[in-house]
Amino acid sequence: MPESGHSSARANHIAGVGIGLRAPHYEDVLTTRPDVAWLEVHGENYFGAGGAPLHYLDAIRALYPLSIHCVGMSLGSMDPLNRTHIAHLKALVDRYQPALVSDHLCWGSFAGTYFNDLLPLPYTEEALEHVIDRVAEAQDALGRQILVENVSSYLQFEHSTIDEWDFLNALAERSGCALLLDINNIYVSAQNHAFDARCYLASVSVDAVREMHLAGFAVNTVDGHDILIDHHGDVVAEPVWELFEHACQRFVEVPTLIEWDTDIPALDVLVGEATKAATILGAKRAFVA
Amino acid sequence: MPSLLELQRRFAAGLGGEAHALDGLVAEHGLRAAQRLQIYRNNFNISLSAALVAVYPVVQQLVGGGFFGYLAHEFTRAFPSRSGNLHDFGAEMGHFLITFTDARELPYLSDVARLEWAWHQTFHSADAPSFPLERLGQVDPALHAQLRFKLHPSAHLLDMQFPVSLIWEANQVDAEAAESVDISTGSEQLLIIRLEEQVQVVRLPAGEFALLGALHQGRAFGEACEIALTAAPKLDLANTLPMLIGNGTLCDFLLPDDTALKSREKNINNA
């Protein structure tokens, strides 16, 4: 797996367990300085030219290592790569020098219309070649390596010929990107499509994985059939903790994040989840004062 | 086997409402293709509607949550998201509501939406350094009429048909017990601006509104004053400028030479 040629990727090293930073917690994080190792923000929330979001991020970045996670690069779309979006992200990356920058293995726009969702790709040779080119293009524009995350999916395409883990491995190997393994998404997709989550973990290239995500899911029942939905609105479910324990044996001390995006609870709840994850990860939480 | 382009075209049509757009392409495993597509269509509708609620809380409060869901759906069909950043979505709501006949019982709704979009823009707009008072002090007073003052980059000027700032205030979370707003009190001229990190909604007298509008268009101070005095002959110009500088509404100025230089640069760039 090729190393990133850009030193900025390591300028701000992260280890241990972090939490997703969301606006309702800005004041709390600054005043209580919770004992979490690092923070991750959604890049798009900081694309504005100024004002409170950037002021808070300036203050918080002075206290914690940072990762920038995106939802809108639309890496798998057939539309041309959105250069305006990438330019906003590049400005943010230059300003905050995050340890990691990531987005998803998905697509989100067609003919200029955005669905602002993480839509599934067919796993074909054509899609693989396309995503490799797009990730390489994004990395060139940003001047650094990115991480690509597996998404939760609610359907599979009949004409897919490649397993998701093989698709990710090939993408990492051929584009030079790294992988962000979302353990909850693996669990959700495994339940929805009846595959073995442990087999997935055993097949992902160890060296490519630089970050893991943990979050909560919801269960929807359609026609008496349960579908798990990745909603980031609850504590991490017990079977996902078990899968995470299993993952930690293979992906040793990989930085791990607790994500929570809907019905955001008190900061303490996230810190509690992070503490639990840190125990499993076996890494010391490195509070950076 | 569909190409990736064809697949994305069909999926996009499915999200737009074609229930069977993915039939034959999707492994069923207990659920039909249309049901699986429906999950994505729900997620799409929920997340775009939530983005609109975040920007238009007062519009939502005025029409109620259920109707807002319908409004959000109709709006999204008329003005789809054009950005991977959801904060860019929803700009045309004020425009959309003018012709949205299902909400015609609330004729002021469009003005409320324009206020809320300006609030959203102001919240995310650029910061500005404080006004260079010392530099202004060094300018020959004979040149004052030719200065071009710059508004704070967060400033938005809105000419409203209805008293929407009163409606907006009455519908804030921390508003006192709702007082009814008499919409026949008529038009309002507003400045939405971020001062000391707070977005403020300010009702302006006609003269100040005309003055700021002219300055915002890049007119020289002397010319802007004439326009303002036409709108409000009794405007106290001697006190207005220090006030606008003092409260941060104006953040900088250009000397006549600066503007000449700037327009030359512009011409060169355009050449």
Side-chain angles (χ1 to χ4, degrees):
Chain A
M1 139 107 226
E3 276 292 316
S4 163
H6 310 285
S7 61
S8 62
R10 282 182 296 275
N12 160 22
H13 182 71
I14 57 175
V17 179
I19 59 173
L21 175 67
R22 304 293 178 255
H25 296 148
Y26 287 156
E27 290 289 348
D28 251 12
V29 166
L30 284 173
T31 52
T32 67
R33 300 192 185 186
D35 187 11
V36 294
W38 52 284
L39 299 171
E40 184 166 279
V41 294
H42 281 170
E44 287 83 2
N45 288 340
Y46 303 88
F47 279 9
L54 293 171
H55 288 189
Y56 277 112
L57 196 54
D58 285 347
I60 288 167
R61 175 69 183 86
L63 300 173
Y64 291 91
L66 187 70
S67 163
I68 294 182
H69 185 50
C70 295
V71 294
M73 278 199 260
S74 198
L75 292 169
S77 282
M78 289 302 284
D79 285 352
L81 193 66
N82 186 326
R83 288 285 169 170
T84 307
H85 200 91
I86 298 287
H88 278 300
L89 177 58
K90 174 83 165 73
L92 204 60
V93 165
D94 289 346
R95 177 167 174 157
Y96 293 106
Q97 297 290 313
L100 305 171
V101 176
S102 53
D103 205 317
H104 301 82
L105 178 64
C106 68
W107 63 284
S109 76
F110 179 78
T113 290
Y114 282 76
F115 305 104
N116 302 94
D117 195 8
L118 310 174
L119 302 172
L121 285 163
Y123 298 133
T124 60
E125 291 296 337
E126 183 203 7
L128 179 60
E129 294 299 327
H130 180 63
V131 180
I132 287 168
D133 288 348
R134 299 273 288 196
V135 168
E137 191 184 349
Q139 292 185 136
D140 285 348
L142 293 169
R144 62 176 293 152
Q145 184 186 50
I146 63 171
L147 281 65
V148 177
E149 176 183 346
N150 60 298
V151 297
S152 286
S153 64
Y154 317 117
L155 59 77
Q156 284 180 313
F157 295 106
E158 290 279 21
H159 62 292
S160 286
T161 54
I162 307 171
D163 288 320
E164 185 171 289
W165 49 87
D166 287 333
F167 195 97
L168 287 165
N169 289 341
L171 174 62
E173 193 184 321
R174 292 180 49 202
S175 72
C177 75
L179 301 179
L180 194 178
L181 219 49
D182 188 310
I183 304 301
N184 182 61
N185 288 347
I186 293 175
Y187 181 78
V188 164
S189 292
Q191 292 296 305
N192 288 344
H193 308 309
F195 64 75
D196 181 354
R198 293 190 176 210
C199 163
Y200 189 125
L201 289 175
S203 307
V204 173
S205 161
V206 172
D207 294 340
V209 177
R210 300 283 166 81
E211 183 183 347
M212 292 191 281
H213 273 180
L214 292 168
F217 63 79
V219 183
N220 279 13
T221 305
V222 182
D223 261 5
H225 187 96
D226 283 349
I227 281 275
L228 273 48
I229 307 285
D230 173 41
H231 76 329
H232 294 186
D234 204 346
V235 293
V236 177
E238 202 45 51
V240 176
W241 282 121
E242 285 168 22
L243 193 60
F244 177 58
E245 271 191 73
H246 186 77
C248 286
Q249 293 163 23
R250 178 169 169 84
F251 308 102
V252 179
E253 295 196 8
V254 169
T256 299
L257 183 87
I258 301 292
E259 281 187 300
W260 205 311
D261 292 295
T262 50
D263 298 327
I264 296 174
L267 181 59
D268 287 354
V269 177
L270 269 79
V271 175
E273 292 281 274
T275 306
K276 190 169 170 182
T279 308
I280 295 169
L281 192 67
K284 269 197 167 156
R285 281 169 297 148
F287 178 63
V288 179
Chain B
M1 174 175 114
S3 66
L4 187 55
L5 183 70
E6 173 62 9
L7 178 90
Q8 293 185 352
R9 191 195 66 73
R10 285 175 64 172
F11 208 127
L15 293 174
E18 276 184 35
H20 297 285
L22 294 182
D23 283 8
L25 292 181
V26 165
E28 303 218 320
H29 297 316
L31 286 182
R32 294 189 304 279
Q35 291 173 308
R36 293 185 178 275
L37 176 59
Q38 180 70 41
I39 295 168
Y40 283 97
R41 197 181 307 117
N42 286 347
N43 287 350
F44 164 58
N45 289 334
I46 289 167
S47 66
L48 269 68
S49 179
L52 292 174
V53 169
V55 177
Y56 297 106
V58 174
V59 171
Q60 189 208 26
Q61 178 124 338
L62 290 169
V63 302
F67 186 85
F68 191 86
Y70 164 65
L71 166 63
H73 186 256
E74 294 302 300
F75 172 79
T76 305
R77 290 171 72 93
F79 295 98
S81 170
R82 308 291 292 179
S83 167
N85 177 9
L86 264 180
H87 295 293
D88 295 336
F89 175 58
E92 307 87 349
M93 183 63 89
H95 174 71
F96 176 75
L97 284 169
I98 292 171
T99 53
F100 188 58
T101 51
D102 291 346
R104 67 181 158 227
E105 284 167 30
L106 305 177
Y108 46 83
L109 210 54
S110 168
D111 274 2
V112 174
R114 286 169 61 213
L115 189 164
E116 292 199 288
W117 183 255
W119 196 102
H120 176 65
Q121 296 293 97
T122 294
F123 181 80
H124 288 284
S125 59
D127 302 314
S130 50
F131 189 92
L133 268 180
E134 260 183 45
R135 194 158 62 82
L136 183 64
Q138 292 158 6
V139 174
D140 178 353
L143 291 175
H144 280 180
Q146 297 175 52
L147 298 181
R148 289 172 203 272
F149 288 95
K150 286 175 62 182
L151 270 65
H152 190 282
S154 72
H156 286 74
L157 293 163
L158 294 175
D159 203 349
M160 299 295 202
Q161 197 185 339
F162 292 98
V164 282
S165 71
L166 302 178
I167 297 169
W168 184 80
E169 277 163 17
N171 284 282
Q172 295 304 300
V173 177
D174 54 1
E176 306 276 317
E179 281 180 40
S180 62
V181 174
D182 179 4
I183 65 165
S184 69
T185 58
S187 65
E188 251 188 6
Q189 296 180 312
L190 300 179
L191 168 68
I192 322 288
I193 190 167
R194 197 177 70 235
L195 299 174
E196 290 162 3
E197 286 309 306
Q198 296 292 322
V199 177
Q200 310 200 3
V201 176
V202 187
R203 277 183 295 280
L204 290 182
E208 276 177 48
F209 186 79
L211 180 69
L212 287 174
L215 295 177
H216 198 45
Q217 288 168 2
R219 293 178 192 270
F221 185 57
E223 198 185 343
C225 287
E226 282 173 29
I227 291 169
L229 286 171
T230 307
K234 290 181 185 165
L235 176 65
D236 177 5
L237 277 170
N239 286 319
T240 301
L241 183 65
M243 181 195 74
L244 294 173
I245 290 173
N247 69 17
T249 305
L250 300 179
C251 70
D252 200 359
F253 68 91
L254 295 173
L255 291 164
D257 288 346
D258 291 347
T259 42
L261 188 67
K262 256 208 138 86
S263 72
R264 272 206 303 278
E265 279 172 2
K266 215 177 184 177
N267 289 337
I268 291 165
N269 289 339
N270 290 342

